[in-house]
Amino acid sequence: MLLLTVVSWQSAFCSEQPAPLQDTGALRLKRGTNISHWLSQSRQRGKERAAFFTEKDVSFITEHGFDHIRIPVDEEQLWAEDLTKVKEAFNLLHQALQWCYLHHLNVVIDLHILRSHYFDAKYKPLWTQPEAQERFLRCWQDLSDELKRYPTSMLAYELMNEPVADSAAQWNELLTRGVATIRAREPKRMIVIGSNRWQSLTSFPELKVPENDPNIILSFHFYQPFTLTHHMASWTKIADYEGPVHYPGPTITKKELESLPASIRNLLPGAEQAFDAKVIAAQLQPALQLAQRLHLPLYCGEWGCLNTVPRKDRLNWYKDVRKVLEQNNIAWSNWGYKGKGFGIVGEDGEADKGLLKALVK
């Protein structure tokens, strides 16, 4: 039970030296949604950005059975080029956390995109420039200084979204430094750490986390089979395939593949392989094995399927992924809450009731 009244929160939130808020025990994550394209991957600013995510959204999320949100934030949104803080953006973040506290909604703050690292960029200076790594650590110093007032029972930090280093050793070294930076300020804060190469399951065996730290959550993302979940996605190599896709079973049947020109067929390796809940469960094994060995919890911070997929197949995929995650006691946050083809709430502002039912009923 939360013991602070709204008045006591506001006095703590607004004071120049805010008092710590009431900690209610262990952080609990089960079902969440990503607040994507707000403080990340968005050109919105001013009133438009402020209106994108409001207390009404927090109420909607809690009322529909979610217990947390994941908030991706980008360096270019929160910091100017000289690393001075963008006050307006930080105020929006604090306001969102205030609403979440009052509505009993937990939060994962995810450092999503850096100026030196975008997961789909060809060149990523983060892995080759020491100054870029120092800048990354400085971001976490600032985030910790801003957010350490919030209870550990409410808020977790995700060190970096989808690291794509040339080697696992590069990411393992940087994540160790990142965890140490946060631990110097916040010994008990829960820190979410994903594997190299887009937080993929296949790279989990190479992930190394600081020893003897029980306040770590291991994270992966799940968008398999990619030919299904990203059907006709304009930013992918498979964008030119506009034919049918299916779930469960082969994403594209052998007959359908054979009818395609080789130039497109060659972009779809493995699409004829059958995919169902058993395959999903098998693919989770690398993450489950590492989590069990280290006695750490698992979190699927992103999973989703575009609305370009036939509706029945799409909802069947959501139901199966959710079932497998929850059978294995893996907390999750779907991608995402609003718009952009994946959203629970479409670009027209209307909620997808069928998708909500697949996620939380």
Side-chain angles (χ1 to χ4, degrees):
M1 179 179 179
L2 299 179
L3 302 178
L4 294 181
T5 64
V6 174
V7 174
S8 65
W9 162 278
Q10 291 173 337
S11 64
F13 179 79
C14 297
S15 63
E16 293 184 4
Q17 293 183 331
L21 302 170
Q22 180 67 42
D23 199 311
T24 59
L27 174 72
R28 297 185 183 279
L29 304 176
K30 185 178 180 182
R31 299 170 181 166
T33 188
N34 275 270
I35 311 305
S36 56
H37 304 97
W38 177 46
L39 293 175
S40 172
Q41 296 175 287
S42 173
R43 296 184 181 276
Q44 295 179 348
R45 297 295 187 270
K47 291 182 179 180
E48 187 179 19
R49 180 169 63 176
F52 184 84
F53 186 67
T54 69
E55 187 171 9
K56 182 179 178 181
D57 294 300
V58 173
S59 296
F60 177 93
I61 290 166
T62 55
E63 288 169 2
H64 284 84
F66 297 92
D67 59 33
H68 76 280
I69 57 175
R70 180 177 182 254
I71 304 180
V73 299
D74 290 353
E75 178 188 335
E76 64 94 15
Q77 292 253 2
L78 296 183
W79 292 273
E81 288 277 2
D82 64 358
L83 268 189
T84 57
K85 298 176 187 175
V86 178
K87 185 176 180 180
E88 178 188 355
F90 270 100
N91 285 345
L92 287 174
L93 184 57
H94 281 297
Q95 180 67 84
L97 292 172
Q98 175 186 1
W99 293 328
C100 289
Y101 186 87
L102 295 174
H103 288 270
H104 308 267
L105 190 67
N106 294 333
V107 182
V108 175
I109 296 293
D110 151 50
L111 187 53
H112 205 72
I113 297 173
L114 302 166
R115 288 185 171 95
S116 61
H117 185 277
Y118 172 53
F119 42 85
D120 277 346
K122 185 176 182 179
Y123 177 54
K124 306 175 186 68
L126 181 65
W127 310 115
T128 58
Q129 297 180 3
E131 59 270 26
Q133 296 188 5
E134 292 301 322
R135 192 178 177 100
F136 164 72
L137 299 176
R138 167 68 185 279
C139 288
W140 273 113
Q141 291 170 5
D142 282 355
L143 282 170
S144 178
D145 289 344
E146 286 279 344
L147 305 179
K148 63 186 178 184
R149 73 187 73 172
Y150 299 101
T152 56
S153 59
M154 170 206 167
L155 178 65
Y157 301 158
E158 183 162 355
L159 200 59
M160 192 170 80
N161 178 73
E162 296 193 356
V164 186
D166 294 330
S167 70
Q170 288 176 312
W171 170 229
N172 290 334
E173 180 182 353
L174 186 59
L175 77 83
T176 298
R177 296 177 66 194
V179 170
T181 297
I182 296 170
R183 286 288 172 256
R185 291 164 167 75
E186 302 184 67
K188 296 184 179 180
R189 180 69 63 188
M190 297 299 293
I191 300 176
V192 179
I193 297 174
S195 53
N196 191 31
R197 310 297 295 177
W198 301 278
Q199 279 170 255
S200 65
L201 288 157
T202 55
S203 61
F204 244 75
E206 300 174 309
L207 179 64
K208 296 187 185 300
V209 300
E211 295 181 356
N212 303 315
D213 189 337
N215 297 316
I216 286 176
I217 300 170
L218 303 178
S219 175
F220 63 91
H221 293 173
F222 194 81
Y223 292 103
Q224 299 300 325
F226 192 80
T227 304
L228 177 85
T229 65
H230 284 67
H231 184 44
M232 294 192 289
S234 61
W235 63 93
T236 69
K237 294 179 180 179
I238 61 173
D240 290 339
Y241 176 68
E242 298 179 352
V245 290
H246 316 279
Y247 180 88
T251 304
I252 305 173
T253 67
K254 184 177 180 180
K255 183 178 180 180
E256 289 163 347
L257 280 170
E258 289 174 347
S259 70
L260 298 172
S263 59
I264 294 180
R265 186 169 63 246
N266 292 339
L267 299 175
L268 306 168
E272 74 281 7
Q273 296 175 4
F275 214 95
D276 57 19
K278 290 183 178 179
V279 175
I280 295 168
Q283 291 193 348
L284 297 186
Q285 290 308 304
L288 286 165
Q289 290 168 10
L290 182 62
Q292 290 165 3
R293 180 166 64 83
L294 298 179
H295 304 288
L296 294 174
L298 269 178
Y299 179 56
C300 182
E302 290 184 20
W303 60 291
C305 183
L306 281 168
N307 60 10
T308 50
V309 172
R311 184 161 180 80
K312 182 178 179 180
D313 302 74
R314 183 183 188 226
L315 295 181
N316 282 338
W317 182 87
Y318 271 104
K319 291 172 186 176
D320 276 358
V321 177
R322 175 193 165 188
K323 179 179 70 174
V324 173
L325 292 174
E326 295 186 354
Q327 284 176 342
N328 287 281
N329 197 31
I330 299 173
W332 55 259
S333 181
N334 81 291
W335 188 274
Y337 173 55
K338 277 189 176 180
K340 303 295 183 181
F342 288 99
I344 295 169
V345 176
E347 295 184 72
D348 60 0
E350 295 296 318
D352 184 331
K353 294 180 180 178
L355 180 54
L356 271 173
K357 184 177 180 180
L359 289 170
V360 293
K361 298 298 183 183

